[in-house]
Amino acid sequence: MLITIDGPAAAGKGTLAGKLAAKYGLAYFDTGMVYRAVGLEMLLNKKNLSDTDAAIRYARELTFPRMMELSQNPEFRSLAGSKAASVVASIPDVRKALLQMQQDFSKNPIFADGSPACGAIYDGRDTGTVVCPLAEIKLFVTASPEVRAKRRYNEYLQKGLDADYTEVLEQTVARDKNDFSRESSHPAKDAVIFDTSDLSIEEVFAKACEIIENRKKTLEK
Ligand code: C5P
């Protein structure tokens, strides 16, 4: 089984994907990690974010183990790391270079401990449109910018990171503008769209399970 969950930053995709992966025994690929890895290479190597050639080079050189190594760096999910990821993600050749690695995972999905899984769940912006256009189940989750900024702000505080709500909101809006200027970030035609602004994590999970069960029934017919 292949499931994709797309939507804007901090809409709750990661939390939902993790819970669904556990329920259905699926391996999980957070595709934002590939862009965060390239963005972090740029920051660590003191490259200007407008240096497109450097970003393309890091994207072409990126391996799965290197991405996992970079993900341990505290800057990986920081405000600066998020901005760098969004900037490099807007370079078409960077996206092209990172596509194969994302698609390969669905052919051979593995759990975090390296053991094989019988399917995968992806989250990102274009997983239902570009990375896995043939996925059986596609979800598109969204929420208002204010709700998403509050969630991200709370995450930073929980991790002990320095954060300012107004700055997080500004960045959320800026990333939306950048990320959704691409047609591929818009919901796939066969995606089920739902707004999580007024829902708890448990309610979002229950709704997603209902959508998946209904879709499975349709596919079995
Ligand atoms: O999902 P996350 O916030 O970790 O993604 C970081 C950035 O990577 C996004 O702001 C977006 O620019 C980019 N991204 C993308 N396509 C994906 C996943 C993430 O362009 N499938």
Side-chain angles (χ1 to χ4, degrees):
M1 180 161 61
L2 205 49
I3 302 178
T4 61
I5 308 180
D6 290 303
K13 304 183 298 289
T15 308
L16 176 60
K19 287 173 83 69
L20 291 174
K23 178 176 164 102
Y24 292 101
L26 302 171
Y28 170 40
F29 196 152
D30 165 5
T31 63
M33 288 179 72
V34 298
Y35 300 99
R36 287 181 182 273
V38 174
L40 187 54
E41 291 282 24
M42 297 287 281
L43 299 181
L44 295 177
N45 291 286
K46 311 243 176 303
K47 299 288 180 196
N48 193 306
L49 289 180
S50 60
D51 187 346
T52 305
D53 290 344
I56 296 169
R57 199 173 60 248
Y58 290 127
R60 289 186 179 148
E61 286 169 359
L62 187 69
T63 60
F64 206 87
R66 176 66 180 152
M67 180 179 81
M68 296 315 285
E69 188 188 334
L70 287 164
S71 73
Q72 300 307 309
N73 188 308
E75 282 299 302
F76 195 73
R77 294 197 182 271
S78 67
L79 266 186
S82 303
K83 182 180 173 212
S86 187
V87 172
V88 297
S90 61
I91 305 168
D93 279 346
V94 165
R95 303 192 72 80
K96 206 165 137 193
L98 296 170
L99 183 59
Q100 193 66 49
M101 189 173 143
Q102 297 174 76
Q103 291 181 328
D104 284 349
F105 187 81
S106 69
K107 292 178 203 140
N108 200 5
I110 48 163
F111 291 112
D113 66 0
S115 60
C118 62
I121 182 157
Y122 280 68
D123 88 35
R125 303 291 181 288
D126 62 349
T127 65
T129 51
V130 177
V131 182
C132 307
L134 300 180
E136 291 96 337
I137 298 158
K138 298 180 186 178
L139 305 175
F140 187 93
V141 296
T142 185
S144 71
E146 291 74 16
V147 167
R148 291 185 284 118
K150 191 82 204 321
R151 287 178 187 163
R152 199 39 53 97
Y153 171 72
N154 288 339
E155 270 172 37
Y156 287 136
L157 294 189
Q158 271 166 17
K159 285 182 194 157
L161 294 169
D162 210 14
D164 172 74
Y165 172 74
T166 312
E167 203 186 326
V168 177
L169 177 60
E170 276 167 16
Q171 206 207 44
T172 303
V173 173
R175 274 175 73 194
D176 281 358
K177 197 167 166 239
N178 210 15
D179 293 350
F180 289 90
S181 61
R182 287 186 291 280
E183 186 59 35
S184 60
S185 295
H186 292 260
K189 285 193 180 66
D190 49 349
V192 178
I193 304 171
F194 68 101
D195 192 312
T196 68
S197 301
D198 301 319
L199 303 178
S200 68
I201 291 170
E202 288 315 318
E203 286 168 331
V204 172
F205 179 55
K207 192 169 162 78
C209 290
E210 195 187 307
I211 294 167
I212 293 170
E213 293 307 323
N214 285 340
R215 182 84 180 116
K216 277 170 72 181
K217 275 187 211 140
T218 314
L219 290 171
E220 279 160 17
K221 274 182 198 159

